[in-house]
Amino acid sequence: MALARFGRQVKRQHGVCVKMTAVAILGLCFIFVWSMFSSPSNSVTVQRESFDDIAEPVASSTIVSKSKGKDIEKHDANDNKKKVESSLKKKDEKKVNGSLPLPAHEHKSGKKNEKHVSKRKKDKDKSKLSNEVSKENQENQEQEESQGEEAEKENEDEEEVVVDDKEEGLDGESEEKGEMEGDADVDESVDQETQEMVENENEGKKRQIKGPVFDPKAHYSWKQCSTRSKHNYIPCIDVESGFTRLHGYRHRERTCPKAPPMCLVPLPHDGYDSPVHWPESKLKVLYKNVAHPKLAAYMKNHNWLIKSGEYLMFPQNQSEFKGGVVHYLESIEEMVPDIEWGKNIRVVLDVGCSDSSFVASLLDKDVLTLSLGLKDDLVDLAQVSLERGFATFVSPFARRSLPFPSGVFDAIHCGRCTIPWHAHEGKLLLEINRILRPGGYFILSTKHDSIEEENAMNTLTSSICWNILAHKTDDVSEVGVKIYQKPESNDIYVLRRRINPPLCKENENPDASWYIPMKTCLHTVPSAIEQHGTEWPEEWPKRLETYPDWLNNKEKAIDDTKHWKDIVDKSYLTGLGIVWSTIRNVMDMKATYGGFAAALLQQKIWVMNVVPVHAPDTLPFIFERGLVGIYHDWCEPFGTYPRSYDLLHADHFFSRLKNRCKHPVSIVVEMDRILRPGGWVVVRDKVEILDPLEAILRSLRWEIRMTYSQNKEGIICAQKTIWRP
């Protein structure tokens, strides 16, 4: 009231002095109030993957003079700039396990952060160009505006959620796609992504505490996915939008939905039954478990698989290769005697999945073959291979690198191949060269060779210095077989007349492969002792227990092997209630050194060792041991058909996510998709994660077979039921 009365008096004609006095008093009051409640806004904002090491800044209430404030402002800005640059530099130089390189996404973060910092710097420089006459008032207004702009940009960054330096679920053509139908109705009262601020009594400062991985108060009700591919839905490969008409049913590249699917894939319409157990599944599988319209048409022209009653049969004397696959393999050994299946050749990649009898015959020779089911394979032969119990994954093979490290496959095979290796500057063959071990073999068999294609292939293989060891057209199989060998050293590259393709730059990591475009350059052969691939591994099975010189932390790898052997022998095989005779396809969702897979070798199973892209890169050593694996980001769906695995193993998997994924519950939904009905899940983790996880599994109608906890850690063993309401 006093201020209002004073204002009315000022409006009267009492002279200029009274008016000036009133303005001065109001200005001083505004400055005093602002100085009491405002905090400095001279901060540089960068986008980070983790906020574990950031503490809440302490607001300063000290009033300084104009000249000192200006100097301190410059000093703080320089300090902030140095801190940001040093953190970016440390992130780029970060290494794990010495010679083991970090995954691809760790090598791309620097540029993005630098752009973000430079943008903030430009905005900050603009704010300094103010009028000196009313500097204090303008600084107040500028600080309020900059705080509002930074808040808006931070909100935008939270909505986009950058994962591994790319927007989650966005990739090229997927920008036009909407969210998936049939999402789950999830009532979450507390958002697990919320950052809670708590006060540390000892330090007197605030620090950030991340919310739980799973909200213990959430309730879930699930719907079935209403997708075009129905019971064979592969989220990052199958197109589910109006975009389909122009670009076909399946993606040319891995393209995930903007929001991870939160729906359950239905069972086949004709029903689903427990798969035929191994090793009987090598000869027959239940037809209704893999039935597909394209498959029925395919069987009419191929006699290596036939339908007999309720089964899909695989006659031993029938193959894509005339004379049988056994004759085909023996002819390869005759052409190149150095190829000894099951000894120096242990890990093989079969491109195309055209005939899984090739994989079955190699398995009898102690060769572990990983089949690549191409994305345009509408016949779903990769699903047939998985149902038979063979190591298989599904991936496009066009413009991006395959999710493997460099130089890990002893041999790569493409039978009755129709892939145009020489097209697009030969980048597909250069990708094969990247993942093929130095001195490794590329076995190519073709039915009909045109002169133009053969000349182009010869030119390409000569340019990358592959040696043709043998070329023969077999009279029995009627296919032409060529066997190439990759160079074992870099000496031959210097002797090339035409340096095309050029050698890759030294700073290009050959192991970087997650969402990395295929290179049209030639990676050199490793030559340093600390690099993997410099020497051929020991013969199988000795290589399983061999620890090469390039592997740092050998003791950790040895301890990991002993650790899992003890757990598997004393607990998993006898104490969990799992019927191991029904287990064939197994996935380790967070593999380290392959110790879990090595401990299960005697059970006649195979393990897909998944190394998360944010974890230390131990995948080269897993291949060195004679095992197979793959890189993957679990914030996205996995590249396989539904009902692919009999057992999923997750050891401290969810607690190591570090809130990377926006919807961790979607990972449980993905586990439900790729697990066969009747399959098992074994999760070892913290009790604070296991308790809400158990509730989620129960909401999926899974049966909890065993739970155990001690010292805030525990284990859940659950079984997925065939029946679902």
Side-chain angles (χ1 to χ4, degrees), residues 49 152 251 348 536 538 549 618:
E49 292 181 1
E152 290 178 0
H251 295 298
V348 174
W536 197 274
E538 297 284 347
D549 294 334
T618 55

Side-chain angles (χ1 to χ4, degrees), residues 283-295:
L283 301 178
K284 66 179 183 180
V285 298
L286 286 171
Y287 180 75
K288 61 183 179 182
N289 286 4
V290 296
H292 191 278
K294 295 284 186 179
L295 182 61

Side-chain angles (χ1 to χ4, degrees), residues 671-706:
M671 294 168 66
D672 181 88
R673 185 186 72 87
I674 67 178
L675 190 68
R676 289 172 174 172
W680 299 77
V681 166
V682 179
V683 182
R684 298 163 55 91
D685 222 310
K686 299 178 181 179
V687 174
E688 62 186 30
I689 291 177
L690 296 181
D691 288 344
L693 176 62
E694 181 179 347
I696 298 173
L697 295 178
R698 291 186 185 277
S699 71
L700 294 169
R701 300 297 188 266
W702 288 25
E703 294 184 9
I704 308 299
R705 296 298 187 180
M706 196 273 291

